[in-house]
Each structure stands twice: as structure tokens, then as C-alpha cells.
Amino acid sequence: MKFKICFMAILWPILSAMAQQSSPLKYRPLAIGDTVPDMEIRHLINYPTQTIRLSDFKGKLLILDFWATWCSPCVASFPKMDSLRKVFGNKLFILPVTDQDEKTVSSLLTNMQKVKGLQGFSVVRDTVLRALFKHSEIPHYVWINERGIVSAVTDGEQVNQSNIQKFLNKEPLTFVMKNDVKRRFDTKRPLNAGINAINVEDMINYRALTRHVEGFTPFLSFKAPAGKPYEILGLNISAQRLYQMAYGEFWPSFMNNFNRMVIESKDSVSIKGPLGRETAGPEAWGLWMKQNTYCYQLIISPPDTGNIFRYMREDLDRQFPTLQASIAKKKGKSIVMISLDRGKLPHTKGGQREVADNKYSFHLQNAPWAFFRSKLQTYYLQTLTTPLIDETGISGNVDLDVIANMSNIAELRTALQKYGIDIIEAERDIDMIVIKDRAASQVPQKAINVKLP
């Protein structure tokens, strides 16, 4: 019996250490002011070592950069973070962290080096750091001071040379902290859910409109499952976004950017915001969001699902009786993909369908050309101020391999020329969503904006 006790006394510390090392649950989530426990961080790629310890960064500012390959602002920040490392040398270390797998991350980093000449690195398959620093949105930056104390949590705008220098000089922190506490929205329940929650399965038709709800992440979606109810859901969405959905009917050419919209209203700020988030600043933008965004849900059951966008337009007419919207032809500048050589246009040799893309590459095998066009319109070129129009005449499935910065028109143009495709700027008559003030004589006399809770 004494032997067993002595044996366990020797073995227990070993087993305990092994259990702690393999489980992120031994650490509680950290907040500003907490000391970060020393731990081993594994699964680094494109870095001299595959593991590091947080204690390796004692004596310098450590910024954890939580990111993902599908997050455009995250990927766009890699050159900026690399420049900051060079400016501050051994006073600063910025560590990219993602929970994605090595293959996905390595593909983007390899193509980024080919296109940008920048060799990035990252922690992959992370679970521990994400558990320590809980967040709902990325990019997400955690500032840890030279003594290993969590000092700030910010978005990417705050990670700049001026703020870092002030931090290193121990000047008072004046930049905006990131508030990442989000309420959960249960998509199986309507917006007015509570103790009287109504099951979606029991609904025939349903619609709800509320003012801004603090905590919901802005979100807009359209679901159209065959033979089941269709649903439009918007959380903390501007009037501009609501009109975009109602009149664009979720077509890629209209969605995800506003270059197919024209606002001709004297009160355009309440519709679309104060010149954009970057120009207005986070505080002014946050105040505008609280005063001018809405939560909207519309559920329509068969056989009436085909009318869902018409019903949404009627709801907007009731909520905004002084505005009117329509689809109208407008002549203007466009970015146009055209065919230079039909003999070179992409086609498919068949085989298994493959679709893979990131910021610096796009691969299709026996997959629809529309995948490529739609992803450009709705994601990679979403910041274009002019519409992207496809006049190549390509249809059906293709094989395509493009290595370029997918958000750079010049690089895309060069990469597509081997397929007999060019990208030009030209004037076109384009269908646009036009929002304007309704003539006073056309405003219903009894029309009022309903005061919602």
C-alpha cells in the first residue's frame, strides 16, 4: 500500500502536466488587466520553429492577430503588419493566429508570396488562444505588454505606427477598444421570440420590423429551399441594404456592393450613412448605426414564395412613405470583361468538379464560369465604384487557373489575357436601383412612419 502511494505521488504530477498541456480548458478566458499564462504555442507554418512560448516575447509588445483566409480585411493587413514589424524591430512582435488547417493557410501564403513578394507566417489549427481571447468577429487584435499583461483589444484600424509608439512610450491609451460581446440570434425563432416563441414550422407567413437591436452583428441573408418557406433576414441593416435586397432580389450583380445603386434623396445620410465607416470614424458610425439601422424578417410559405420580394417592397413603402425606389436604366462607366480571342476562351476537359479560391488565386475544374464572375462581383471587387459586367459570352463549365491579386483589376487583366479575355473601362446602359424622394403630391396623406419599439 505504501508502494502504491509513493508511485502515485511520483506519477500524478506527470499525468496532470500532460492533461493540462493537451487541453485548452485549463485556462479561463482572459480580460484586460489579466496576466497571460506562459504556454507553448504549436502549429506554426512558414516560421523558423514550429512551436514558441509566450514567454519568448517578454520585454516587448506582443500583438495577437486573429485572422482567416476568407476575411478580406485580415488578408489585406498582412503587408501593413509586415511593415510595422520592420519599423519597430525587436520591440514588437505581431503573431497571426487562425483555427484553419495548414493546407488552406499555406495555399494563400504561397500565392501571396508569388503575387506580393511577401512571405507570411501564422499559427494554424489554433484552439487554445481562441479560448483564452474569446471573440465573435475578425480581424481581432489582442495587445499584450512587455510584462505579459493583456492591455488592449482592438480592431485593425487601431494597429498603426502612432498607437504602437504611444504604447511603447507608456503614454495613456486613447484608441478605441473593440467591443466584441454579441447577442446570439436563434434562427429557428422569429424576432419577437420569448416565452411565447412560435415555431417556424407552425408559421404560414410572418414579417417583423424593429429598430436597431444592440448586440446583433449586422447580417443579411435570403433562403429559398425547394418546397419550403422562403426567408429574408436582416439584422441591424441600413435602409440602403434593405432596398438593395428588395429590388436586387439577391442577384450577384446587385448584391454586396453599392455600385448598382443611385440615391437621389435630400436625406441620403439616413439611408446610407455618413460617408462610410472609415471616413466618419468608429464613434460617429456607431451612433449612426443605432439611429438608422433595422432588423427585418419576412417568411413566406408555398405557394406564395414567388412574391417574397414584392412583399418586401411593400413593407419598405409603408415604413418609408416619402421614398420611392425602382429599377431604371442609367448610362455610366463600367468595368467590362470582354472576349479578345474566342479560340482561347476557357472550356472544360471534364473530370471531377473543383472550386478553390483565395485572395491570390482562383481555381475551377469542370465548374461554372458563373462561380468566378459572381465571386468577383460579390466579394473580391466589392469595393469597386463602378459595376463589373460580363460580356465574354462564356457559359457553362470551364477549367480556370488564375494567379493574381483578385482585388486588383490590372493584375486580373494580365492573368486573364492567356484565356483571351480583357478587362476594359467603357460606358454602358445599366440597370440600376434608384432611390429618390417621392413627390409631395404622391405621399399618402395618412402615411406615417410607425414608431417601433
Side-chain angles (χ1 to χ4, degrees):
M1 186 68 178
K2 290 183 180 180
F3 174 78
K4 291 182 179 179
I5 293 174
C6 293
F7 178 76
M8 288 304 295
I10 295 172
L11 186 60
W12 177 252
I14 299 174
L15 294 175
S16 178
M18 290 174 62
Q20 289 181 0
Q21 186 177 22
S22 63
S23 173
L25 299 179
K26 75 163 187 168
Y27 301 117
R28 63 175 177 82
L30 300 180
I32 292 175
D34 289 341
T35 298
V36 180
D38 188 21
M39 67 182 70
E40 184 179 64
I41 305 301
R42 305 175 183 177
H43 311 305
L44 271 84
I45 61 172
N46 288 13
Y47 193 76
T49 60
Q50 293 184 348
T51 63
I52 55 176
R53 298 197 69 84
L54 289 183
S55 58
D56 295 342
F57 307 106
K58 286 290 183 69
K60 63 181 68 177
L61 168 60
L62 169 63
I63 299 180
L64 303 180
D65 174 1
F66 290 90
W67 75 289
T69 61
W70 48 261
C71 168
S72 182
C74 300
V75 176
S77 73
F78 265 79
K80 171 186 171 183
M81 299 305 160
D82 186 65
S83 297
L84 289 172
R85 292 187 190 97
K86 292 175 181 176
V87 168
F88 291 98
N90 62 7
K91 296 180 182 179
L92 168 72
F93 192 84
I94 302 174
L95 179 63
V97 180
T98 180
D99 58 5
Q100 292 179 285
D101 62 87
E102 181 176 349
K103 180 180 178 181
T104 301
V105 177
S106 181
S107 173
L108 181 135
L109 296 181
T110 299
N111 290 317
M112 181 172 68
Q113 186 173 14
K114 291 178 182 178
V115 175
K116 304 287 288 186
L118 175 63
Q119 184 175 9
F121 65 95
S122 181
V123 175
V124 298
R125 293 191 285 137
D126 168 67
T127 57
V128 176
L129 291 174
R130 184 176 180 86
L132 277 177
F133 305 101
K134 291 185 176 295
H135 54 275
S136 301
E137 299 174 349
I138 55 175
H140 184 78
Y141 296 88
V142 178
W143 300 51
I144 302 171
N145 72 11
E146 75 281 359
R147 292 180 290 127
I149 297 174
V150 182
S151 301
V153 177
T154 72
D155 60 18
E157 295 175 5
Q158 310 304 315
V159 184
N160 56 55
Q161 185 172 340
S162 174
N163 283 340
I164 291 174
Q165 189 62 63
K166 290 178 182 178
F167 189 96
L168 294 174
N169 292 343
K170 300 188 183 303
E171 298 178 22
L173 299 181
T174 58
F175 47 77
V176 179
M177 298 291 183
K178 183 183 178 196
N179 180 11
D180 211 19
V181 178
K182 303 299 178 185
R183 283 180 57 187
R184 177 178 175 270
F185 181 82
D186 187 349
T187 57
K188 295 181 180 179
R189 296 288 184 268
L191 275 172
N192 64 350
I195 58 173
N196 295 323
I198 303 170
N199 292 324
V200 172
E201 293 79 9
D202 296 330
M203 291 182 178
I204 298 175
N205 294 323
Y206 171 81
R207 63 185 69 185
L209 179 66
T210 78
R211 295 198 184 278
H212 178 92
V213 178
E214 191 67 26
F216 286 156
T217 298
F219 176 79
L220 182 63
S221 72
F222 170 55
K223 298 177 183 177
K228 295 184 178 181
Y230 285 11
E231 178 189 19
I232 295 172
L233 174 64
L235 301 178
N236 291 340
I237 296 299
S238 67
Q240 184 179 27
R241 279 289 188 194
L242 292 174
Y243 277 106
Q244 184 183 41
M245 173 68 87
Y247 287 84
E249 299 190 355
F250 215 64
W251 286 102
S253 56
F254 281 104
M255 300 303 295
N256 223 46
N257 56 36
F258 297 119
N259 57 33
R260 296 288 291 268
M261 297 188 76
V262 177
I263 298 177
E264 300 173 346
S265 170
K266 61 184 178 183
D267 194 18
S268 61
V269 171
S270 68
I271 299 172
K272 65 179 182 179
L275 302 177
R277 179 175 181 175
E278 294 78 11
T279 304
E283 292 185 10
W285 185 259
L287 178 61
W288 178 87
M289 286 280 292
K290 291 180 180 180
Q291 296 175 343
N292 296 280
T293 60
Y294 306 85
C295 292
Y296 177 77
Q297 188 175 36
L298 175 61
I299 298 174
I300 301 296
S301 296
D304 205 21
T305 51
N307 290 315
I308 189 167
F309 293 108
R310 178 170 69 84
Y311 293 153
M312 185 178 185
R313 293 193 287 268
E314 291 173 356
D315 288 342
L316 294 181
D317 284 343
R318 281 189 288 269
Q319 177 61 23
F320 306 107
T322 61
L323 297 176
Q324 62 179 3
S326 63
I327 300 289
K329 291 284 187 183
K330 293 278 187 179
K331 181 180 287 292
K333 290 183 179 179
S334 302
I335 303 299
V336 187
M337 291 194 294
I338 62 172
S339 168
L340 292 177
D341 186 344
R342 298 200 63 81
K344 292 183 179 180
L345 292 180
H347 58 281
T348 183
K349 297 180 181 179
Q352 184 175 354
R353 175 177 294 188
E354 296 178 4
V355 179
D357 65 283
N358 57 49
K359 174 79 171 182
Y360 299 106
S361 67
F362 210 112
H363 168 74
L364 295 179
Q365 178 180 301
N366 195 22
W369 164 259
F371 283 3
F372 177 69
R373 179 188 63 233
S374 297
K375 197 65 177 284
L376 291 182
Q377 290 173 326
T378 61
Y379 185 67
Y380 291 115
L381 299 178
Q382 61 182 287
T383 59
L384 282 181
T385 57
T386 53
L388 174 69
I389 298 175
D390 180 14
E391 294 182 355
T392 62
I394 301 172
S395 62
N397 292 356
V398 299
D399 297 340
L400 184 75
D401 277 292
V402 174
I403 302 296
N405 182 340
M406 304 304 295
S407 299
N408 186 293
I409 293 292
E411 291 188 26
L412 271 174
R413 184 183 185 193
T414 300
L416 288 172
Q417 285 175 349
K418 72 175 182 179
Y419 292 104
I421 298 170
D422 198 5
I423 301 177
I424 63 172
E425 186 178 277
E427 286 205 344
R428 293 288 188 271
D429 284 326
I430 315 164
D431 284 334
M432 303 284 283
I433 301 172
V434 180
I435 303 173
K436 60 183 179 180
D437 294 325
R438 193 185 298 272
S441 59
Q442 296 177 333
V443 177
Q445 292 183 359
K446 295 184 179 180
I448 58 171
N449 284 328
V450 178
K451 292 185 178 179
L452 299 169

